[in-house]
Structures are given as C-alpha cells and as structure tokens.
Amino acid sequence: MLTPKFEVHQDDDNLTVKIFAPYSRISDAEINIEGESFIFYSSPYYLRLTLSGKLVDSELEKYKATFDADHGAFVIVCQKETRGEHFANLDMLTTLLAPHGATGVKKPIIEVIGEESTVDEEEEEFDWMYEQALPDENIVTAGHKYGFGNNTTGVFTSLQSELKGVVDVDDPDNKSVSHRREERITQELSLFDEDHYLADYFDVDTAQQCVEFIPEFYSITSDEVELSYQEKEDMLKLPRKDHLLDKGTKSMVYLGLADILYAWCFNHRVTLGENCVESAWNIAKLSSTLSWLDSFTHLKDVAISSVRRSLAFPLVRNWQLSQEVLKDTAQILTLGRKKVLQCLLEIQRFFNLSEPRYLLNQLYITDYCVWVQKVKDNKLISLADSLKKLKVTKSDMCLDLEDLEAAAHLVLEEEEENVLSPEENINNVVTDLSGLTIIENGAALGENDNEEAVVEDAVITSTREGLSHLSDSDSSSSESDSEDDSDEESDSSDSSDDDSSDDDDSEREDSSSDSSELDSDDDTLSENDEE
C-alpha cells in the first residue's frame, strides 16, 4: 500500500482532508471516520490519520466527499463532534500518521510505598542551567552509545572507511562520552588560528555583511510559519514511531537540538540565506553533536562549544558574528516546533546530498524530525528564554582572545607613534620591522605607507653614500694611475731618444767610412789614369 500525499485544514465547524490519489478508482474509495481516527482506502492508496479531537462518525453520514479531477484529489469535509474545537498538529503530518501509543516512559508496575506521585513528564519544567549527569554506560553488554537519545552503538565498527568523512572522533564505539568531549576540546584549542581570527577581527567588511544581515525569520510569528510542498513530501517519508525518553535523556536531546540549530543558523547567516555547496560541511562541522557525537548536560556548555567552533573552523571567524548566531538560535526556538522542523528537514536534505553524511541523518536528524513534531512549543520557548539570558564571554572560550586583541592593538599604536627618520641605519629599520606580526591582507599593519617610504629613503641614502664613496676612491686611483702612466711615458721617451742618438752616431760613422772608402777608390783611379 502507498501512503498518498495529503493536506488537512480546519475551520470552527469542519475538518477538510485533501488526498492526492491520481491512480485510484473513484468507485473503490472507502472512508471510515470514528472518533479521533480517519481512514481512507482506494487501491493502491491507504491513509490513516490520528487526530487530536473527535469527528462525527461516518455512520451518521455527516461528511461530504468529492473528487477534484483537475488535481486528482479526493476532498473530504468532516464535521467536528465539538464545534469550535481546535485540532492541534495538523501540519505535523508524521504525527498524524502515527498510531496512538505511549508518548513517554511507561510507569513501573512496582512503586515504592510512600513516594509522592510525579507529574506528567510533559508538564515538568527543565532547569537548563542545572548541571546534570549522564547515565552510566554498560559497555559490557551495549558498548559506548551515541546518536539520538544515546540509543545507538556499533555503527562505525562496520563503517570504518566512512568514519573520517562523517565525524572527527576516532573509533567512537570504544570511547565514552567524557573521553570524546576531552578530545574535542583539545582539538578546538589546538586548531584555533590566531592569524585568521585577527584578520577577520580587523577586516570588518568581510564579517560586517553577515552581521548586518537580517534573516527572514525575524519578520514572522509562529502562526505565520508555513511548510512548503517539498517539506510536506519529506515528512511523509519519515518513519512512524514514538521515542520513549526519560527526563534526563529528554534534557540531553533538547540541548543537542540547540547545538544543531546553532550550526544551521550560522550557515544561514554566512550564506545570507542562499546556502551553498559547503552548507552540509558548515552544519556538520560546527555542531559538536554531529561531528563528535557529543552529549550535553548544561546549556552554557552548548553555547561555549558552538561559539568556539565558529571561531576555529569556518571561513568567517568573528566574535560579533558568533554572538548574532546565538540570537538567531533563540529566535528559531521561539517560533516553535514548526520552524524548528523546517530547519531540521533542510539539514536532512543537505546530508542526503552529501555522502557519506547521510549517516548523520540516520543517527540524529531523522529522529529529531519525528520527535520534534510532538514537542510542546512552551518547552522550546523556555529553552529560548534561557539562551537569551545566557552570557558567553571571550574568556569562556579559553583561547586568550582578549590578550590577542590587546596585543594586536598595541602593535598598531606603536606603528603610529614611532616614525623612523631617513638617517636611521637600515639595519635598525629591518630589526624593528622583523618584530611585527603580519596578518593576512596586511590587516594588522594599519597605515604602513610611511614606514615603507622611510625604509625606501634609508635604502636610497645608504646607496647614495656608498656610491659617493666609490666615486671618490675611483677618482684618486685614476689620478695615481695617470701619474704612473706619465712617468712611464717620459721614461720610454728618454730611452727612445737615447736609442735614436746612438743610431744617428752609428749611421754617421757608417756614412763617413763609406765616403772614405769611395775617396780612396777615386784616388787610386786617378793615379792609374796618369800613368
């Protein structure tokens, strides 16, 4: 049998049920109304609703049934037994589909004599500020538990390959809640990035847009919250079951809900309500319940964990932004279970599209979607009021945020006060600048244009002095070299003169000897002629 899509509306006198059954035969439709039960059958569809008030029985034929051919829907108008009675939870489709059953832990058959009777658990008030203790785990028979109401164990033993993609804790089946919490806090403190935090602290433009964003849920009331067609479709796919929780477990489940809603509100604000491909990661990472399978016993622990993780992991890490998200979480709770259910259904869709995070739906989100439909709004409003009164300070984070911010401001003040002169030695300039902490995008340096100019002037002055020194030494060396060259030239000229004189003398001697020989020859010839 198929469960058809349906809608339920009411007025003072009647209850109208619209059932979409396009593949059924109109002639085969059967309707049975008896008190709080409404049953519709037309093969292959079967629908059974359990209402909060009584209707006039179908045997009296006080109802009216028609078929809307345009939409393929049966429209059945039923008369209320008590006119003017308001039927609750008509939007909570999963609750309407669930059969009547126990809504709380069954009372024990054996009671202690003399013990005063207790009030209904739904009427009990929770002290959200009171530290409660989790029940001891029987690890011999059950192992360490986690999941909705801490009722699951052994899941990750058989899914070790998908563990890293779902949670941050290693081997959760063999670690207690307290052990997981200690490891979580250690990780948060060790992965906190001071540079990233200071960058967002000084670069106000990045976070200011998120801080100034006004989500749409601030402009509506609880009565104006309407579930979409997609959300109603998702509700029909939820299991029909009751969750039997004792008082201590209920408190833990409420606190886990606040933790998950904080992660949803953070993603909603930083994406400006548009969501993105990282929305599933944002929600799973910021929630300690989802990422570390943690269980809370005090509301302040929830707030501290949520804010600290918002300063350690996401892209935008800003204290004011984290405080605004706390207000958003309280606002969501104030709007009641219908708005809370909307947020949970959206988370469920995110995780279904982000493998292997679908496991988080099986462990937490699906059960929360079923459970919250039966929660009374006054419990959620009480939790919201306590969250509004809660004060979370920077010192609660154990991240030395105040000291970090003070040191950053001190560096900026020193930069503004200390103006370096152009005559200062370049080595001192470099030494002073090396002590500064440089943050991303230059956010912590303030107006450092003057400093850069000072360093540039100092470098130019030093370079010019070096160049002038080099020019002087070069000129002196060139003069000495020129003198040496002139001396060498004079020596060489003298030696050349000596050589030339010697050559001239030798030439004269040679020429005189040659002339004497000629003269002697002439004399000989003349004597021979006379003879």
Side-chain angles (χ1 to χ4, degrees):
M1 291 294 176
L2 300 177
T3 301
K5 302 173 186 177
F6 67 96
E7 297 176 357
V8 184
H9 307 282
Q10 66 176 329
D11 54 29
D12 292 340
D13 298 330
N14 302 309
L15 185 78
T16 302
V17 183
K18 190 174 184 179
I19 303 171
F20 300 90
Y23 305 111
S24 65
R25 297 180 59 181
I26 301 176
S27 59
D28 293 340
E30 297 181 7
I31 299 172
N32 182 31
I33 305 173
E34 184 177 355
E36 300 174 348
S37 177
F38 174 93
I39 298 176
F40 168 85
Y41 171 75
S42 181
S43 181
Y45 301 102
Y46 175 81
L47 177 66
R48 180 185 60 193
L49 304 179
T50 303
L51 306 169
S52 60
K54 292 184 178 181
L55 301 173
V56 176
D57 291 351
S58 57
E59 295 179 356
L60 300 177
E61 297 184 353
K62 296 290 184 179
Y63 69 92
K64 179 182 178 182
T66 59
F67 183 78
D68 185 352
D70 293 336
H71 298 89
F74 291 88
V75 181
I76 305 162
V77 181
C78 311
Q79 185 175 319
K80 293 181 179 179
E81 187 176 282
T82 304
R83 293 188 175 184
E85 181 182 3
H86 178 75
F87 287 17
N89 300 330
L90 295 183
D91 289 328
M92 306 291 106
L93 304 186
T94 308
T95 303
L96 293 177
L97 293 172
H100 269 306
T103 58
V105 178
K106 295 181 179 180
K107 294 184 179 180
I109 299 177
I110 301 175
E111 295 184 5
V112 178
I113 298 177
E115 182 175 326
E116 296 182 0
S117 60
T118 58
V119 297
D120 186 0
E121 290 189 8
E122 287 296 331
E123 299 300 327
E124 289 180 338
E125 293 293 333
F126 292 97
D127 185 358
W128 307 109
M129 302 300 180
Y130 177 73
E131 182 74 28
Q132 302 182 67
L134 294 173
D136 295 334
E137 297 179 352
N138 187 354
I139 61 174
V140 175
T141 58
H144 294 293
K145 295 184 177 182
Y146 40 82
F148 179 86
N150 276 353
N151 58 2
T152 307
T153 188
V155 173
F156 293 103
T157 300
S158 57
L159 295 173
Q160 288 293 327
S161 60
E162 299 184 356
L163 177 62
K164 286 296 183 183
V166 181
V167 296
D168 292 344
V169 58
D170 295 327
D171 195 15
D173 293 303
N174 294 315
K175 292 181 180 178
S176 64
V177 175
S178 58
H179 190 180
R180 294 197 294 263
R181 183 178 299 113
E182 290 176 0
E183 289 190 355
R184 172 180 63 79
I185 295 175
T186 301
Q187 184 207 52
E188 292 169 358
L189 298 179
S190 61
L191 295 183
F192 174 71
D193 190 337
E194 296 179 354
D195 293 345
H196 195 143
Y197 173 78
L198 286 178
D200 288 347
Y201 176 77
F202 286 103
D203 187 9
V204 294
D205 293 338
T206 302
Q208 196 65 25
Q209 184 180 15
C210 300
V211 173
E212 295 177 352
F213 172 70
I214 302 177
E216 72 285 351
F217 49 77
Y218 278 100
S219 59
I220 60 175
T221 63
S222 58
D223 295 333
E224 295 173 338
V225 178
E226 294 293 338
L227 296 172
S228 66
Y229 178 81
Q230 178 65 51
E231 290 163 349
K232 292 178 180 179
E233 287 252 322
D234 294 339
M235 291 172 65
L236 293 176
K237 300 175 184 178
L238 297 174
R240 285 74 152 166
K241 62 180 180 180
D242 286 328
H243 294 89
L244 307 181
L245 307 174
D246 57 27
K247 183 179 179 181
T249 305
K250 277 186 180 180
S251 175
M252 179 190 67
V253 170
Y254 276 110
L255 295 175
L257 176 64
D259 175 64
I260 294 172
L261 288 179
Y262 182 94
W264 181 90
C265 290
F266 187 95
N267 172 77
H268 188 77
R269 184 170 280 274
V270 296
T271 60
L272 305 182
E274 297 296 330
N275 296 318
C276 65
V277 294
E278 295 297 328
S279 293
W281 183 91
N282 286 338
I283 295 172
K285 196 70 174 181
L286 292 185
S287 170
S288 299
T289 301
L290 300 178
S291 59
W292 281 88
L293 311 178
D294 204 350
S295 300
F296 293 97
T297 58
H298 194 279
L299 183 58
K300 188 167 185 178
D301 291 340
V302 176
I304 291 175
S305 171
S306 298
V307 174
R308 183 163 55 209
R309 294 186 72 82
S310 70
L311 298 177
F313 297 107
L315 180 62
V316 183
R317 307 174 190 180
N318 181 273
W319 175 261
Q320 187 177 358
L321 172 61
S322 300
Q323 296 299 303
E324 290 297 321
V325 177
L326 277 178
K327 297 178 183 178
D328 295 346
T329 307
Q331 176 65 14
I332 293 292
L333 292 169
T334 301
L335 292 176
R337 59 187 169 187
K338 193 185 297 187
K339 183 60 184 178
V340 172
L341 178 60
Q342 278 187 329
C343 300
L344 293 172
L345 290 174
E346 185 173 75
I347 295 173
Q348 186 184 55
R349 290 194 295 272
F350 288 158
F351 289 166
N352 281 336
L353 298 174
S354 177
E355 293 188 5
R357 294 190 179 92
Y358 69 90
L359 291 174
L360 295 176
N361 284 336
Q362 299 178 9
L363 290 173
Y364 291 98
I365 305 303
T366 299
D367 286 322
Y368 265 111
C369 290
V370 175
W371 169 79
V372 79
Q373 296 184 52
K374 296 185 178 181
V375 171
K376 292 187 176 181
D377 285 342
N378 63 342
K379 293 292 187 297
L380 299 176
I381 294 174
S382 173
L383 179 59
D385 292 339
S386 298
L387 190 59
K388 291 177 182 177
K389 298 175 183 177
L390 187 64
K391 301 296 182 183
V392 179
T393 63
K394 293 181 180 180
S395 59
D396 293 330
M397 301 296 104
C398 299
L399 298 174
D400 298 327
L401 297 180
E402 295 174 335
D403 294 340
L404 186 62
E405 294 170 4
H409 282 292
L410 183 60
V411 171
L412 291 180
E413 292 175 1
E414 291 178 351
E415 290 178 357
E416 295 176 356
E417 293 176 357
N418 297 334
V419 179
L420 300 176
S421 61
E423 294 79 11
E424 186 171 357
N425 187 281
I426 186 62
N427 293 328
N428 294 333
V429 176
V430 174
T431 302
D432 292 340
L433 293 179
S434 64
L436 297 177
T437 301
I438 299 177
I439 310 304
E440 295 179 53
N441 300 324
L445 291 179
E447 299 177 353
N448 57 356
D449 295 337
N450 293 334
E451 294 176 0
E452 294 178 357
V454 169
V455 175
E456 185 178 358
D457 291 342
V459 173
I460 294 173
T461 302
S462 178
T463 305
R464 287 176 177 173
E465 292 176 354
L467 291 174
S468 63
H469 177 71
L470 289 175
S471 63
D472 294 340
S473 61
D474 292 341
S475 62
S476 61
S477 61
S478 61
E479 290 177 357
S480 61
D481 293 339
S482 63
E483 291 177 357
D484 294 338
D485 294 339
S486 62
D487 293 339
E488 291 176 357
E489 289 177 359
S490 62
D491 293 339
S492 61
S493 61
D494 294 340
S495 61
S496 61
D497 292 339
D498 294 339
D499 294 338
S500 61
S501 62
D502 293 339
D503 293 338
D504 292 340
D505 294 339
S506 60
E507 288 177 357
R508 289 193 187 99
E509 291 176 358
D510 293 337
S511 61
S512 61
S513 61
D514 293 337
S515 60
S516 61
E517 290 177 357
L518 290 174
D519 292 340
S520 62
D521 292 336
D522 290 339
D523 293 338
T524 305
L525 289 174
S526 62
E527 289 177 359
N528 292 330
D529 290 337
E530 288 178 359
E531 292 177 359

